[in-house]
Amino acid sequence: MRTPWIIGVSGASGTPYARAVIGALLDAGEAVDLVISRAARLTLLDETGATVRDAHWKDDVGAWLGRDLGGADLVYWPAGDLAAGPSSGSYPARGMAVVPASTAACAGIAIGLSKDLLQRAAEVNLKERRRTVVVPRETPVTRSHLEHLIALHDAGAVVLPASPGFYGAGADATAQQLVDFVAGKVLDALGVPHDLFTRWRGELGGAAKAAQRNPLGGP
């Protein structure tokens, strides 16, 4: 039985994080269901110039990800389709990541608003006790946002802020290396193996030594 990871992309800035997570899951041979909110389409257009049209999603998403989706196990669900598979707890799924997660998405999921398919699918994964990862990027944060994040934590979600670490690539890390660090932490939380960043091995200066061994990046 096909049992995908559901990836929700909300309207917060940080679409490169979503791109890296989706790409890494597909590279790992995982099945992916994708939900892109209406606000996220505007953010994608602003940050990347990419458009996502429901009727042409395979071409548009493939262009955004920079890969041919012909052989990929990727299913796209329109955000307005509240009768879609991920809207039901009986739909088989391994779990879900909302990356990036806007303050509105966090609030909607925390209070069970189910405003769109992204929020509904996240609520379903929480109630079914599946792995659910929420990646807020907003900074600074208000008290209400913190309260919603605490509510998500208490409901069983992993709250994983988009806070890249530098120990994996050093102070001269590229933007892509910092993006991959956050994406790698998301995959760690999902329990999916990856090689997106160099892990800490208890050795000071390890990132610099790794860079010398592999100037092109990676572990």
Side-chain angles (χ1 to χ4, degrees):
M1 177 185 296
R2 182 179 183 274
T3 310
W5 293 106
I6 302 169
I7 301 300
V9 185
S10 77
S13 176
T15 55
Y17 295 121
R19 181 179 185 272
V21 168
I22 297 166
L25 287 173
L26 294 177
D27 287 342
E30 300 286 340
V32 175
D33 278 18
L34 178 61
V35 181
I36 301 175
S37 74
R38 292 180 63 184
R41 297 187 190 204
L42 296 177
T43 307
L44 268 171
L45 182 62
D46 182 55
E47 293 185 345
T48 71
T51 58
V52 177
R53 300 162 294 175
D54 291 344
H56 305 280
W57 71 265
K58 184 165 283 190
D59 290 337
D60 293 346
V61 172
W64 169 44
L65 298 179
R67 63 171 62 211
D68 181 4
L69 297 179
D73 192 349
L74 177 67
V75 172
Y76 171 85
W77 298 97
D81 185 2
L82 290 175
S87 69
S88 172
S90 66
Y91 182 78
R94 296 185 64 184
M96 181 171 182
V98 182
V99 52
S102 66
T103 55
C106 290
I109 299 166
I111 66 175
L113 185 60
S114 292
K115 168 187 164 184
D116 59 12
L117 181 59
L118 186 153
Q119 293 183 17
R120 172 59 184 169
E123 182 188 0
V124 164
N125 276 267
L126 287 174
K127 79 180 183 68
E128 297 295 329
R129 300 297 189 264
R130 298 170 184 155
R131 295 193 190 200
T132 306
V133 181
V134 178
V135 186
R137 195 224 52 84
E138 190 78 17
T139 186
V141 293
T142 64
R143 180 183 180 89
S144 64
H145 188 34
L146 291 171
E147 290 174 344
H148 289 137
L149 294 180
I150 291 172
L152 289 170
H153 172 273
D154 291 348
V158 174
V159 178
L160 198 156
S163 302
F166 287 81
Y167 61 81
D172 294 326
T174 65
Q176 189 59 54
Q177 286 173 318
L178 297 179
V179 166
D180 285 347
F181 181 90
V182 173
K185 297 292 282 186
V186 173
L187 266 68
D188 282 351
L190 295 177
V192 177
H194 66 88
D195 59 358
L196 288 172
F197 59 76
T198 301
R199 297 184 181 276
W200 176 253
R201 296 183 174 88
E203 177 186 9
L204 291 176
K209 294 176 182 178
Q212 291 174 357
R213 292 193 298 268
N214 185 7
L216 298 179

